[in-house]
Every structure is written in C-alpha cells, then in structure tokens.
Amino acid sequence: MDVGTALRLSPFVRPSPFLRPWRILRRNSHLGCDVTPTVDSRAARLWAWVAAHLEIVIALAAFALYAVTVYPGVGGVVNYGDSAKFQFLGRILGLSHPPGAPLYLLATFLWSWLPLGVTPAISINLFSAACASGALALVYLAIRRLKVATLPALAAVALLGLTPVFWEFATEAELYGPLTLCVAFFVHRMLVWWQDRRERDLYLLLGGYFASFGVHYLMVLLVPALFWGITRGPWRPAVRLRSLARIAGLGLLAALPLAYFGLRHSTAPYSEAPAVLDAGAYLDYILSRGYQGHMFNGTVQEVLALHPWQERAVFLDQFTGWGLALAGLGLIALVVRRQKGLAAFLLLGIGVPILFVASYNIPDRLGFYLPSLVILTLAAGAGLGAIWDLARVPRRQWTLVAPFVVAPVLVLTAMHGAQGYQALRQILPDDILRDAGTGEVWDIHRLAELAEPESVVLVPWYDYGHREIANYARFTAPDVDARGIRFEWTDDPPRDWTWAQRAFRPDPKTNRIVYAFSTGHRDLLVRAGYRVTRIALQRDNGDTFHVFEARPAVLAK
C-alpha cells in the first residue's frame, strides 16, 4: 500500500485550508510516486508512517508474537541439548561442535550483554526471535520487489511466519532462526541487484552471503541459485580487476570469524574442538569432516527412490497443500510474465536444499527445510499477487473485496500455525529434568545457585541434553566455579554399582556434600556411605522442588 492510498483511506485525514499542512516527501521506489497530503492529527501521521514502513511493523509484530510464545526455560523442543548449549556458549565465548558457527557465537556474545531483564536462556531465545522477525521483514520487501500488492504480500509473510517449524525455531536457541535471516537477506539483495543494477548491491549480496557461512553451512546449498542469479544479472562490470579484488577482500573479511577458533582454543572454558588444533585438525573441524550427518552421504538411488515422498509429507504438514498450490501458481505466473530467469532462481533455491535434506542421515533435520520454506514463500507471494491481479478490483472498492480474497489465507494460516506450534510444544521445559521414578521436577540452575560451597551436583546421564543443561547451570549460575561446585554425571540407576560406589565414596577430610535428584542416585549414595535426606528448595517463581542432600555418614551423626 502506498502512502497516498493509506492517507486517503485514513479517517484522520481531511483537506482543510485552515490547518497547518504536514507534508510527506517520501519516494516510493515500488510505485514511483510522490505524495504530499495534508493531515490534521498525530493519528494520521502514525497511519502514514505505518503505510510507508510496513516492513518495520511486520518485524515488530512478529517479534512481539515470538517473544510472548518464547521457549520458557533451558533447552528447547527439537534438540534441547544443542539449545541449552547455545544458551550459554556465546556468553562465555566457548567452542561449539563442528563446524563451530563462529559468527553466531560472536553475535550471541554481544546480544547476551543487553539489559533485557531475563535469564541468559530466555535472552538467547529472544535473539532467535529477533533474527526470525528480521527475516520476515526482508521476505516482505522481496515479495514487494516481485510487483505484488501489499495485502497479498502480507498474507504470504504470515504463511511463513506462522509455519510451525519457522515459529518453533524463532522461539528457541538454535542456529536456524539466524539462518532464515541469512537466506532472506540473500534473496532480497539478489532481487535488488537485478532491478537496480548497482555494483554496490552486488558487493552487499556477496559480502552477506560469505558472512552467512559463519552461521550455518547450509548456505552452500544456495550456490546454484547464486551462480544462476549472478549470470542473469549485470555481471560484466564485476569481472574487472578492481571489482574482483573487492570481492576477494569481502571473502577474506567474511572469513575473519574463523580465526576465533584459534584465538579461543586454549582459553575457552568450554570446548568441543579437538584437543590439538593443528592444520589438519583445524580443517576437519571447520569442514565438519567425520561428524554425524556429514553432507551428501546418501546415494542418488536412495534420494530419488524413497526420500521425495517423505519430503512431500513434511512440506504438506508445514506449508500446507494450499500453500504449495499458491507457490506453484506463482511460478507459473512468473513464467507467463516472461520472468523465466526469476522462476528458475526460485526453483534452484527451493529444490537443491530439499535434495540435500533427503540425503541427510540425522534425526533432527526439521530445521534444514527452512531455506526452502523461505524461498517457497516468495513463490507463494507471487501466486497470491496473481490472484489479486486477476480480480482487477477498483482501488476504491478494495477494502470491501480484500476480506474475501486475503482473509481466508490469513485465518487458515493462523489456525494451522497455532495447531502445529502446540503440537511441537508437547514437551515442556520441565519435562526434560523429571525423575522417571517419582515424577519430581528439578531446577538444576536454581540448585547451582543455592548449593553449599565445595559441593557436588550429581546429574543423571539419560542423554546428551542433560549434560548441556547442567553445563548451562555451571556457566550461568553466579560464582559456581568460585564456590567450588562440581557437576558429575553417571547412569541412573548405575550400570556398574561397584565402580559407582568406589567413584563416589565420601571423603571424611572434606565432608563434601553431594546433591542428587533421582531415586537411583539416592540409593547409590546410601550404598557408598552417605546419609541422605530429602530437602525442599524454592524456584525463582515460588514453586518448590525437592533434591536429595547427602553428607558423609560418619560426620553427619
């Protein structure tokens, strides 16, 4: 919607020779018109500002939605171990699992020091919300670049923003929220370069693309789309020696975060990098060689024979059948409008990541669909725009017809998104720290704050996630290391009782206290020679949870 249309429809605007005029001198690059209306109230100015800056309104509205529904604790739903790790890793400048995501860690380090008044876990969750909100704003701008009207563009953005997987990763600490921002920036800058034909836009495109590898290596799957887009644009000035030198400089600048690994390898308090980081180990680390889910480890026959049916089911569940139909209609509309190059660009951006995900052998691969979903939204926006154009509604009557064209899309999208989001949120944050025997819910972070100095917190080793949640408490609770609190992990119940009793035998000289959560660990400590009592602790929100406090039996009498 242009500013003039917004002001003509505003109930606060009326022409009057007696009122002080307020002139809007804003050039609308999409419609090519200057508007100079006269308004008589602050409400009209706000209306006009909203109409001229809808991308900012979209980002703020999306951030408000994601902030209200943000994951309320440590960890996450899809992979709560990685989410718990990312909630503290940036703050302490640690080293993550391969390939490291250095730019993400540096960004979360800066974000973690913002005075948001929330816990470190919620703060990093809000960082994902901010990135996803920015991605939606850029997707809106990209769809408007396709000559799509405002309301269809808004409906397409809502289709993406309320998709269950997008919503989920926008509310918990993972790499995929920032990844959507990188993909949206890539697509938007490509369209800007195509249409405005400025060399600086090519530099912004390539610089942002190179830097995005510091967030996630999935961006490599957009290389075919990048190559196609550059060769279909005004690329000849970029092959000059000066331009090539600038592009090489951008690549080196984007690679600077990789030096983070070498600088922090010996001093990081938490590291998943190799113990010896020589040249070979460094390359293995940043290229993720040998890590589970190594890229393209499925055969072509497996990908073509089995996986497309699985991917189709996922996209039907996430983007819905009518969303896919709109995307197909949009691609057809682009071909009919003689924009075959743009249609091919979108197809490459959608299809190549899908082929990769089909060959990926890791269970939690839901976030790997997000690049395709982001680009698929542009095609859906083109489809909605084609329907809108076919209606040929007069400008004066669009307010009457719009609810019947766009409102069903918005309503169905909101219903589908809410249902999918609730389905993904069946695992509550407390459930991942619940005793399987008693049903008792724990708060390991609060225990780390209240534990006595020189004590041990015994964490049940159910899976990788429990270790990262305990590490979150270790690195974010105040003065944990200064107070000498240690975290130990063992099976619950222990597989080898003899080894466990010997490993946790009390030391009468130190009278070290051991805190345990599960009944299996309580039995272990009793056998090892502790006197165990059940004590109640209080969470920050006032709820009570219980832990076992174990003291050496000789000194406890």
Side-chain angles (χ1 to χ4, degrees):
M1 184 191 307
D2 59 280
V3 180
T5 303
L7 290 173
R8 283 194 298 274
L9 296 173
S10 172
F12 309 105
V13 179
R14 57 185 179 87
S16 174
F18 306 105
L19 297 175
R20 181 180 180 182
W22 173 62
R23 300 175 66 84
I24 299 178
L25 300 178
R26 174 176 173 81
R27 183 76 176 175
N28 193 312
S29 60
H30 303 297
L31 301 176
C33 61
D34 286 326
V35 183
T36 309
T38 301
V39 300
D40 63 350
S41 70
R42 293 182 179 179
R45 300 182 187 185
L46 178 62
W47 181 284
W49 187 91
V50 168
H53 302 84
L54 273 177
E55 64 276 8
I56 299 178
V57 177
I58 290 171
L60 293 176
F63 183 78
L65 172 65
Y66 298 147
V68 170
T69 58
V70 73
Y71 192 80
V74 182
V77 170
V78 180
N79 188 335
Y80 62 87
D82 281 353
S83 295
K85 178 170 60 181
F86 288 129
Q87 286 170 339
F88 71 85
L89 202 58
R91 187 181 182 90
I92 65 172
L93 290 178
L95 299 182
S96 178
H97 58 269
L103 186 60
Y104 174 83
L105 295 179
L106 293 173
T108 53
F109 169 75
L110 297 176
W111 178 274
S112 65
W113 294 105
L114 293 179
L116 301 179
V118 294
T119 64
I122 301 299
S123 174
I124 304 303
N125 291 348
L126 291 176
F127 175 75
S128 295
C131 292
S133 303
L136 292 179
L138 289 175
V139 168
Y140 169 78
L141 292 176
I143 295 175
R144 293 286 285 151
R145 285 270 172 179
L146 301 180
K147 309 300 181 183
V148 177
T150 301
L151 283 179
L154 289 174
V157 169
L159 178 63
L160 174 64
L162 296 177
T163 299
V165 62
F166 188 94
W167 193 345
E168 184 61 44
F169 284 116
T171 55
E172 60 185 54
E174 259 289 3
L175 301 175
Y176 303 113
L179 173 64
T180 60
L181 179 61
C182 296
V183 176
F185 181 84
F186 165 76
V187 176
H188 175 253
R189 296 318 304 179
M190 180 67 77
L191 294 178
V192 171
W193 181 59
W194 273 358
Q195 296 178 5
D196 296 349
R197 296 180 174 272
R198 295 176 300 192
E199 191 172 349
R200 66 180 184 182
D201 291 323
L202 176 62
Y203 297 146
L204 284 174
L205 166 66
L206 294 177
Y209 181 74
F210 294 154
S212 63
F213 283 85
V215 176
H216 206 293
Y217 279 4
L218 270 181
M219 293 299 294
V220 73
L221 302 176
L222 298 180
V223 166
L226 175 68
F227 178 78
W228 178 271
I230 289 179
T231 56
R232 293 301 181 272
W235 58 271
R236 295 188 183 277
V239 299
R240 295 175 299 185
L241 183 61
R242 183 180 62 180
S243 300
L244 293 176
R246 290 176 179 175
I247 293 173
L250 288 173
L252 293 175
L253 186 64
L256 281 180
L258 294 177
Y260 166 82
F261 302 132
L263 295 174
R264 293 291 297 171
H265 178 259
S266 59
T267 59
Y270 180 96
S271 174
E272 293 185 0
V276 178
L277 201 63
D278 55 14
Y282 181 78
L283 286 177
D284 290 342
Y285 180 70
I286 65 173
L287 296 178
S288 191
R289 293 175 180 170
Y291 190 67
Q292 66 164 340
H294 188 64
M295 289 187 176
F296 302 110
N297 47 20
T299 64
V300 176
Q301 291 79 4
E302 291 174 347
V303 172
L304 296 179
L306 174 63
H307 292 291
W309 302 102
Q310 299 176 355
E311 317 313 317
R312 185 186 66 172
V314 172
F315 276 86
L316 285 174
D317 181 57
Q318 296 293 330
F319 210 65
T320 71
W322 49 270
L324 295 176
L326 288 174
L329 177 62
L331 293 174
I332 295 174
L334 292 176
V335 174
V336 171
R337 294 175 183 173
R338 297 183 179 180
Q339 294 180 309
K340 298 179 181 179
L342 178 57
F345 170 76
L346 296 180
L347 279 174
L348 287 172
I350 295 168
V352 175
I354 292 177
L355 289 177
F356 163 70
V357 175
S359 67
Y360 200 65
N361 69 344
I362 197 170
D364 52 342
R365 55 180 183 170
L366 197 58
F368 287 77
Y369 296 102
L370 284 173
S372 296
L373 288 174
V374 171
I375 302 176
L376 196 64
T377 304
L378 272 72
L384 282 169
I387 296 175
W388 185 269
D389 293 339
L390 289 174
R392 298 186 180 278
V393 181
R395 178 172 290 182
R396 294 182 180 180
Q397 301 177 12
W398 72 268
T399 53
L400 299 177
V401 180
F404 300 100
V405 178
V406 179
V409 175
L410 296 175
V411 172
L412 291 174
T413 298
M415 292 176 59
H416 172 73
Q419 293 173 357
Y421 178 81
Q422 291 298 327
L424 286 171
R425 280 299 173 86
Q426 291 178 354
I427 304 176
L428 299 177
D430 288 336
D431 289 340
I432 56 181
L433 286 176
R434 186 184 296 273
D435 190 321
T438 64
E440 182 73 37
V441 175
W442 315 322
D443 191 336
I444 193 169
H445 189 270
R446 183 62 173 162
L447 173 60
E449 294 177 350
L450 301 177
E452 294 191 18
E454 303 297 328
S455 59
V456 176
V457 178
L458 192 56
V459 182
W461 179 259
Y462 293 145
D463 54 29
Y464 156 78
H466 284 77
R467 184 191 71 183
E468 299 306 336
I469 292 170
N471 281 327
Y472 170 86
R474 172 189 170 192
F475 290 112
T476 59
D479 301 326
V480 169
D481 290 333
R483 290 185 289 130
I485 298 174
R486 294 204 334 257
F487 292 85
E488 299 285 350
W489 293 267
T490 186
D491 298 324
D492 176 32
R495 300 179 183 178
D496 187 345
W497 281 94
T498 303
W499 172 88
Q501 290 174 221
R502 184 171 62 252
F504 294 98
R505 185 175 301 161
D507 185 359
K509 297 180 180 179
T510 60
N511 193 24
R512 186 182 295 274
I513 299 173
V514 179
Y515 295 95
F517 295 105
S518 66
T519 53
H521 284 173
R522 177 200 61 187
D523 298 339
L524 165 64
L525 294 173
V526 170
R527 293 190 185 187
Y530 286 88
R531 174 169 292 180
V532 181
T533 57
R534 192 168 183 260
I535 62 173
L537 299 177
Q538 196 172 48
R539 297 181 179 178
D540 293 328
N541 60 6
D543 295 340
T544 301
F545 70 103
H546 294 84
V547 298
F548 297 109
E549 183 184 77
R551 298 176 182 270
V554 176
L555 300 177
K557 294 181 180 179

